[in-house]
């Protein structure tokens, strides 16, 4: 069983079936990219995975926890960066990270050391004592990434990890995500950015209309392939990931067509 295991997941909002029988698994050592056009069901899946909403049916496990039955336990052992998540406007990064550290049962010295390390890595060390309300969106995203990794969780779930970051920081974050996953952890990222997924992911799943339409192991990455998904699995071949994406998504009756303009955005 994978450290993330999703089986038969269904979630509707009224008569909109946002997730429709989704099945996939993610193993340790994988950096798994969850790709799909607008409205495909990515954020809904992440919200279920991280215990923010309850599914209509299906089972979900992360590190053996059940985010539906025990969302607090899931959040204790998983790092999460939600879509458009932002740190509290009335706290500084240091205050917020101290708070997150105490909730995660870290001792203050460890929190201080990791806070300084991450602030230096991402270049916000001079903003540690500034209220979040006075930080840019990109600076707030750096704080959100820091809080997700503060307790060095075995699984991290990130919705659009590079959103609002400048190119230099994007490179650092990409390298960090690759090395973190390689350290026997699992990193699950939802993204529109096909180029980034192709560059850093060990495997991608393409979702359309709430269903996983294909998975693809990426050349040059050696993490184990899950055997648990019911989607067709394509080996890295001659087709680019963009071609696979368009082919799969065009075969499906998508609610919103994928926008090629998304390619290269948020980088
Ligand atoms: N709270 C909600 N109430 C009603 N419908 C919703 C709600 N949240 C999402 N939906 C609908 O569910 C579907 C899936 O949305 P979701 O946000 O999961 O997609 P997504 O793949 O994350 O899209 P995007 O890439 O645009 O962020 C969409 O049709 C969306 O309009």
């Amino acid at each position: 069983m994978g450290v993330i295991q999703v089986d038969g997941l269904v979630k509707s909002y009224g008569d909109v079936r946002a997730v429709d029988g989704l099945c996939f698994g993610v193993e340790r050592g994988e950096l798994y990219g969850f790709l799909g056009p607008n409205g495909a069901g990515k954020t809904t899946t992440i919200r279920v995975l991280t215990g923010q909403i309850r599914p209509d049916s299906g089972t979900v496990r992360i590190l053996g926890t059940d985010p539906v039955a025990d969302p607090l336990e899931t959040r204790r052992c998983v790092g999460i960066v939600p879509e458009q998540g932002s740190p509290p406007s009335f706290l500084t990064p240091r205050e917020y990270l101290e708070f997150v550290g105490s909730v995660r049962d870290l001792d203050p010295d460890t929190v201080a050391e990791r806070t300084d390390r991450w602030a230096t890595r991402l270049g916000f060390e001079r903003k540690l004592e500034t209220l979040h309300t006075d930080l840019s969106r990109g600076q707030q995203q750096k704080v959100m990434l820091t809080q997700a990794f503060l307790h060095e969780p075995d699984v991290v779930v990130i919705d659009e990890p590079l959103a609002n970051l400048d190119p230099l920081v994007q490179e650092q974050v990409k390298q960090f995500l690759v090395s973190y996953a390689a350290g026997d952890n699992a990193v699950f990222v939802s993204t529109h950015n096909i180029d980034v997924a192709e560059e850093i992911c060990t495997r991608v799943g393409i979702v359309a209309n709430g269903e996983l339409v294909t998975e693809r192991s990426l050349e040059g990455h050696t993490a184990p392939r899950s055997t648990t998904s019911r989607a067709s699995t394509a080996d890295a071949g001659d087709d680019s990931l963009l071609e696979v994406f368009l082919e799969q998504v065009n075969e499906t009756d998508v609610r919103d067509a994928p926008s090629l303009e998304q390619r290269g955005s948020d980088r």
Side-chain angles (χ1 to χ4, degrees), residues 83-87 135-142 144 163-165:
E83 185 192 38
Q84 296 175 350
S86 51
L135 298 188
S136 70
R137 278 299 307 155
Q139 290 164 340
Q140 292 183 27
Q141 176 74 355
K142 294 176 184 182
M144 291 305 291
N164 302 305
L165 299 178

Side-chain angles (χ1 to χ4, degrees), residues 42-61:
K42 303 181 297 296
T43 296
T44 300
T45 303
I46 286 188
R47 292 177 72 201
V48 174
L49 275 178
T50 54
Q52 297 174 65
I53 55 173
R54 298 178 70 85
D56 301 332
S57 58
T59 57
V60 179
R61 295 287 182 278

Side-chain angles (χ1 to χ4, degrees), residues 13 16-18 36-45 47 83 159 190 192 255-256:
Y13 303 100
V16 176
R17 208 162 170 92
N38 292 129
K42 303 181 297 296
T43 296
T44 300
T45 303
R47 292 177 72 201
E83 185 192 38
D159 211 341
S190 165
H192 293 117
R255 286 178 283 253
D256 299 303

Side-chain angles (χ1 to χ4, degrees), residues 36-39 245-246 249-250 252-260 262:
N38 292 129
F245 179 91
L246 290 174
V249 169
N250 285 338
T252 313
D253 178 24
V254 288
R255 286 178 283 253
D256 299 303
S259 166
L260 285 182
Q262 293 287 358

Side-chain angles (χ1 to χ4, degrees), residues 47-243:
R47 292 177 72 201
V48 174
L49 275 178
T50 54
Q52 297 174 65
I53 55 173
R54 298 178 70 85
D56 301 332
S57 58
T59 57
V60 179
R61 295 287 182 278
I62 301 194
L63 287 168
T65 71
D66 179 350
V68 180
D70 195 352
L72 289 181
E73 180 57 21
T74 299
R75 282 177 230 172
R76 255 191 290 277
C77 42
V78 173
I80 302 165
V81 182
E83 185 192 38
Q84 296 175 350
S86 51
S89 59
F90 52 89
L91 294 179
T92 68
R94 192 179 295 287
E95 289 167 342
Y96 175 54
L97 294 168
E98 284 171 354
F99 168 76
V100 172
S102 71
V103 171
R104 301 283 175 245
D105 291 330
L106 298 175
D107 73 74
D109 288 345
T110 301
V111 174
E113 186 271 318
R114 291 181 187 172
T115 295
D116 289 339
R117 182 152 38 98
W118 271 89
T120 304
R121 171 182 286 143
L122 298 182
F124 65 97
E125 65 272 38
R126 287 163 58 192
K127 299 290 183 183
L128 277 170
E129 323 299 340
T130 303
L131 285 177
H132 291 125
T133 193
D134 295 328
L135 298 188
S136 70
R137 278 299 307 155
Q139 290 164 340
Q140 292 183 27
Q141 176 74 355
K142 294 176 184 182
V143 177
M144 291 305 291
L145 285 166
T146 303
Q147 63 77 29
F149 287 95
L150 200 64
H151 56 308
E152 300 187 342
D154 290 358
V155 172
V156 184
V157 176
I158 311 177
D159 211 341
E160 288 293 352
L162 306 182
N164 302 305
L165 299 178
D166 67 59
L168 185 64
V169 176
Q170 286 191 20
E171 278 311 312
Q172 290 162 335
V173 171
K174 284 191 284 186
Q175 287 171 22
F176 179 80
L177 295 179
V178 168
S179 67
Y180 199 78
D184 206 29
N185 300 303
V187 179
F188 179 95
V189 297
S190 165
T191 182
H192 293 117
N193 196 319
I194 295 172
D195 290 343
V196 168
E198 194 152 38
E199 183 184 345
I200 67 173
C201 291
T202 56
R203 194 157 56 99
V204 296
I206 295 178
V207 63
N209 285 352
E211 292 179 71
L212 194 69
V213 290
T214 191
E215 283 187 318
R216 180 172 175 150
S217 293
L218 295 176
E219 214 170 333
H221 299 288
T222 55
R225 175 187 300 175
S226 166
T227 53
T228 50
S229 167
R230 290 183 199 149
S232 64
T233 303
D235 281 315
D238 292 337
D239 288 350
S240 72
L241 193 54
L242 177 64
E243 286 166 332

